[in-house]
Amino acid sequence: MDNRAIGVFDSGLGGLTAMRKLVEAMPNEDIIYLGDNGRVPYGGRSRETVIRYAREDTDFLLRHNIKAVVVACGTVSTVALDTVSSECPVPVFGVVEPTAWKAARVSRSGRIGIIGTKRSVASGAYDRAILRFRPEAQLFSKACPLFVPLVEEGRVRRGDTVIETVVREYLAELRDARIDTLLLGCTHYPLLSEVISDYMGGDVRLISAGEETAEYLIKKLRETDALASPDKRGSTNFYVTDNAEGFERLASFFMGSDISGRVKITSLEQEKQP
Ligand code: DGL
């Protein structure tokens, strides 16, 4: 048993797709969420910058007595996971392996689409992981850089012509490629599931990086006897690096519960002793 908290971070709202799953499945756990929305999006930045941001995000969570770090960001997971894991004193869980494993397992035809940020797609990390699990798979990948800013603006709903146009523009070639599984390799993208599914068709299975990683973490905590006490009531704490009010409004919608007044701003720097 381990009553320390779980730390989860992303560049913004996307990691909530993992957070929601964790809160629903593990009501006894304390979970700390960091959304670095002052610097979102990460996906078009250089590898060096993503690594620096990832170190700062991890260091912030480590100051909160945590037992694990969930890198609920595809971009950090594809380019900085080794660095973060090698420097971190607690286990680190990235999104690539669990998501790739699930996509490889559920695809019937082996024709799998991968979408993510520019940095994630360029890294080829999802492709390598899927091919390890399923060597004969045929992969079709596409970077979708406008999805993250649109999600951060709350432009996610069916009937919003802006997001529907962008979805069509990015996903046309994947639809033509007759994939049967689409790996949503950026944790923001499941927040667009409705619009993406409308366009791709109900037969295409969408795999959420956030949800798969949350499930994997739960399994690992159980296997290593590191779950919190069943008698304990869990808590959630949210931190952002900018615009707490805007985050609260959208996060309440995405989490399916009201978190008004519960989001704190941090500069990520170590709090000064009084
Ligand atoms: N949720 C992040 C990811 O999974 C978004 C990256 C970004 O900020 O561009 O890649």
Side-chain angles (χ1 to χ4, degrees), residues 98-168:
T99 316
W101 180 81
K102 183 63 169 276
R105 200 170 65 95
V106 302
S107 172
R108 295 175 310 278
S109 65
R111 299 175 72 82
I112 300 171
I114 299 163
I115 55 175
T117 64
K118 278 189 195 163
R119 182 70 35 213
S120 290
V121 168
S123 77
Y126 283 113
D127 309 56
R128 285 192 296 280
I130 294 175
L131 291 173
R132 220 171 335 105
F133 297 125
R134 189 158 174 180
E136 86 291 0
Q138 287 178 275
L139 306 179
F140 305 85
S141 52
K142 177 82 184 169
C144 306
L146 289 175
F147 281 179
V148 169
L150 285 168
V151 169
E152 291 285 327
E153 284 295 321
R155 307 295 296 262
V156 300
R157 292 184 183 82
R158 190 180 261 155
D160 181 321
T161 50
V162 175
I163 190 61
E164 286 184 347
T165 306
V166 176
V167 163
R168 260 200 316 277

Side-chain angles (χ1 to χ4, degrees), residues 4-274:
R4 288 177 298 168
I6 298 166
V8 180
F9 80 85
D10 179 41
S11 59
L13 291 158
L16 295 175
T17 52
M19 180 79 176
R20 181 172 178 158
K21 184 97 192 169
L22 292 176
V23 171
E24 284 170 0
M26 301 195 297
N28 314 108
E29 298 288 338
D30 294 336
I31 312 179
I32 298 170
Y33 185 87
L34 169 65
D36 187 12
N37 58 348
R39 302 189 291 195
V40 69
Y42 283 10
R45 302 193 191 271
S46 69
R47 192 170 172 275
E48 293 68 30
T49 300
V50 174
I51 290 175
R52 178 161 58 84
Y53 289 176
R55 281 193 172 121
E56 290 168 3
D57 297 340
T58 309
D59 285 349
F60 172 81
L61 292 173
L62 285 171
R63 295 200 288 275
H64 292 81
N65 190 30
I66 53 170
K67 61 185 168 189
V69 172
V70 180
V71 179
C73 174
T75 307
V76 173
S77 298
T78 51
V79 308
L81 195 71
D82 289 350
T83 310
V84 174
S85 304
S86 66
E87 296 172 357
C88 190
V90 299
V92 176
F93 295 84
V95 300
V96 175
E97 293 285 314
T99 316
W101 180 81
K102 183 63 169 276
R105 200 170 65 95
V106 302
S107 172
R108 295 175 310 278
S109 65
R111 299 175 72 82
I112 300 171
I114 299 163
I115 55 175
T117 64
K118 278 189 195 163
R119 182 70 35 213
S120 290
V121 168
S123 77
Y126 283 113
D127 309 56
R128 285 192 296 280
I130 294 175
L131 291 173
R132 220 171 335 105
F133 297 125
R134 189 158 174 180
E136 86 291 0
Q138 287 178 275
L139 306 179
F140 305 85
S141 52
K142 177 82 184 169
C144 306
L146 289 175
F147 281 179
V148 169
L150 285 168
V151 169
E152 291 285 327
E153 284 295 321
R155 307 295 296 262
V156 300
R157 292 184 183 82
R158 190 180 261 155
D160 181 321
T161 50
V162 175
I163 190 61
E164 286 184 347
T165 306
V166 176
V167 163
R168 260 200 316 277
E169 164 96 16
Y170 282 146
L171 301 188
E173 58 200 81
L174 297 184
R175 194 166 78 164
D176 291 348
R178 290 174 293 104
I179 57 171
D180 73 0
T181 302
L182 180 59
L183 184 159
L184 309 180
C186 166
T187 52
H188 279 70
Y189 297 179
L191 301 169
L192 299 171
S193 286
E194 228 174 49
V195 184
I196 292 175
S197 197
D198 285 350
Y199 180 69
M200 295 302 290
D203 290 349
V204 176
R205 173 97 179 247
L206 306 184
I207 310 291
S208 157
E211 285 189 20
E212 294 310 323
T213 307
E215 273 178 20
Y216 182 74
L217 171 74
I218 296 165
K219 182 168 163 272
K220 286 291 159 192
L221 291 179
R222 196 167 287 134
E223 280 171 13
T224 54
D225 194 23
L227 289 169
S229 159
D231 309 325
K232 188 171 115 9
R233 195 157 150 214
S235 64
T236 50
N237 277 289
F238 296 87
Y239 292 88
V240 291
T241 50
D242 198 7
N243 187 11
E245 274 172 30
F247 182 90
E248 268 174 12
R249 200 168 23 83
L250 284 172
S252 296
F253 172 67
F254 292 140
M255 288 294 289
S257 67
D258 189 10
I259 62 161
S260 307
R262 290 174 42 210
V263 179
K264 299 183 204 77
I265 296 250
T266 173
S267 65
L268 296 183
E269 281 165 16
Q270 187 119 31
E271 294 83 7
K272 302 244 177 348
Q273 297 296 329

